[in-house]
Amino acid sequence: MIFDDCGFWHESETLYKEVLALRKRAFTAHHPHIINATASLASTYHALGKLESAEKLGEEVLVLRKKVTGEHHPDTLTSMANLASTYCALEKLESAEKLNHEVLVLRKKVLDVHHPHTLASMNNLASTYYALGKLESAQKLQEEVLVLRKKVNGEHYPDTLTSMANLASTYRALGKLKSAERLGEEVLVLRKKILGIHHPFTLISMANLTSTYLALGKLESVEKLEQELLELRKKITGKHHPHTLTSMANLAWTYHALGKFTSAEKLQEEVLVLLKQVLGQHHPDTLTSMANLATTYYALGKLESAKMLEEEVLEHRKKVNGAHHPQTLTSMASLGWTYHVLGKLKSAEKLEEEVLVLRKKVIGEHHSDTLASMANLASTYHSLGKLERAEKLEEEVLVLRKKILGHNTLIH
């Protein structure tokens, strides 16, 4: 259908509904023409994000195909795979896993392990394993898919590169960072060569590799790749595109991590202006950007600027997320410590006491953030001359840290 090929999904929906209504008048409920039209409409619903409708029709199609053409027919297997994809999109991952596994078993039996549809089913099941956190199972299946795709399609085929990229992501999630790095670098070289440096998949490979470098602590490599990625995204999608803004924010934070605070400050200020324009002042990404810039101001010794920005972030996060949200509590803790450093000890004390009560309630007494709040409040008590309170709280922190981290842990 030409509308589908061009991505005109709304036009496709209207047309498929009309076709289905006409075919229901002309044919019996089990006629292939009815089933095919229903399947096409289900796929269109999925593409439009009308997932509940896609699920309902997909389940209906699958029942009919099993009854009319049998469980082993290619069209039945395609319907199973499509329904599993809808389950995934709806985050019904256990249902997706079960159906993807069933499809894979049948496709291996009917089509052979080297068939493209079988390889697609293996990839889909591996992706479902990944989403479920079954990373070892995902790795095993992805390694098998990669061997088969290299054998069937060759090393340079797009699907082979996708399999390599997926496996690299799984290695990274498993903490197998050297393997992730090796494979991620290989994918990037091949995608640059085959697809070109401006292709979206090449840019995704660059972003994924920066994540691996970051996990390995290779900040100079992260910086170099993020700079390249940012220039490409500015050129391809423009300065205001969300992906470009993400790249700018990531590079700014890398500058911060490298101690290049002036460069971080300049880029974070630019990002913040753009995020306010594109996403609005209350968007979570805008608030994160404000919090990051405040941290950079703090590192540069611009404490008043840090304080003003932290107060604004806290006000917005209370309004957007509520007083008990972890990000709100993080903002409260950051502002409390900035008050402390500025010598506004009464303000620091009030805010740190509030944070501590909330963190105990929300994340528990033994959480590391709660312990950090206790330590900060103890320090503020000490600076205020409330030595008995400070001593009592410090002793409590020490007992809890020994209990959680062990007796040999140094307390800083």
Side-chain angles (χ1 to χ4, degrees), residues 1-13 44 47-48:
M1 180 65 66
I2 190 71
F3 285 152
D4 292 356
D5 294 338
C6 295
F8 298 138
W9 297 111
H10 289 288
E11 291 81 355
S12 293
E13 179 187 10
T44 302
L48 286 166

Side-chain angles (χ1 to χ4, degrees), residues 356-376:
L356 181 54
V357 169
L358 288 170
R359 278 185 163 164
K360 283 182 177 181
K361 183 178 180 180
V362 175
I363 57 179
E365 190 176 47
H366 296 138
H367 194 282
S368 58
D369 288 347
T370 306
L371 298 182
S373 289
M374 293 171 73
N376 289 347

Side-chain angles (χ1 to χ4, degrees), residues 171-205:
Y171 282 149
R172 184 172 63 250
L174 282 164
K176 299 180 178 182
L177 299 178
K178 283 295 179 184
S179 296
E181 178 185 26
R182 175 188 58 77
L183 202 54
E185 288 176 339
E186 187 179 351
V187 172
L188 181 55
V189 168
L190 289 169
R191 279 184 164 166
K192 281 183 175 180
K193 182 178 178 181
I194 296 161
L195 302 176
I197 198 167
H198 297 114
H199 194 280
F201 286 170
T202 305
L203 301 183
I204 290 169
S205 290

Side-chain angles (χ1 to χ4, degrees), residues 74-197:
D75 289 346
T76 306
L77 299 181
T78 297
S79 292
M80 292 172 73
N82 290 344
L83 180 56
S85 177
T86 300
Y87 285 151
C88 268
L90 285 164
E91 296 186 2
K92 297 182 176 182
L93 298 177
E94 289 78 9
S95 298
E97 178 188 16
K98 182 182 177 183
L99 201 53
N100 275 324
H101 185 269
E102 187 179 349
V103 174
L104 178 56
V105 169
L106 290 169
R107 278 183 166 166
K108 281 183 175 180
K109 184 177 179 180
V110 175
L111 301 175
D112 182 70
V113 74
H114 297 103
H115 193 281
H117 290 173
T118 307
L119 297 180
S121 288
M122 293 172 73
N123 181 70
N124 291 342
L125 180 56
S127 296
T128 305
Y129 284 150
Y130 186 98
L132 282 164
K134 299 181 177 182
L135 298 178
E136 294 289 349
S137 297
Q139 178 194 337
K140 182 180 177 183
L141 200 52
Q142 285 169 341
E143 287 174 339
E144 186 180 350
V145 172
L146 181 55
V147 170
L148 289 168
R149 279 192 162 155
K150 283 183 176 180
K151 184 177 179 181
V152 174
N153 304 123
E155 191 175 53
H156 294 168
Y157 193 75
D159 287 347
T160 306
L161 299 182
T162 297
S163 292
M164 293 171 72
N166 290 344
L167 180 56
S169 295
T170 301
Y171 282 149
R172 184 172 63 250
L174 282 164
K176 299 180 178 182
L177 299 178
K178 283 295 179 184
S179 296
E181 178 185 26
R182 175 188 58 77
L183 202 54
E185 288 176 339
E186 187 179 351
V187 172
L188 181 55
V189 168
L190 289 169
R191 279 184 164 166
K192 281 183 175 180
K193 182 178 178 181
I194 296 161
L195 302 176
I197 198 167

Side-chain angles (χ1 to χ4, degrees), residues 344-397:
K344 299 185 175 187
L345 298 177
K346 283 293 182 184
S347 297
E349 178 186 24
K350 181 183 177 183
L351 201 53
E352 286 171 348
E353 286 177 339
E354 185 180 353
V355 172
L356 181 54
V357 169
L358 288 170
R359 278 185 163 164
K360 283 182 177 181
K361 183 178 180 180
V362 175
I363 57 179
E365 190 176 47
H366 296 138
H367 194 282
S368 58
D369 288 347
T370 306
L371 298 182
S373 289
M374 293 171 73
N376 289 347
L377 179 56
S379 179
T380 300
Y381 283 153
H382 195 277
S383 297
L384 283 164
K386 299 181 178 182
L387 302 182
E388 288 184 5
R389 287 190 184 183
E391 182 181 7
K392 182 182 177 183
L393 202 52
E394 285 167 350
E395 288 173 349
E396 189 178 347
V397 172

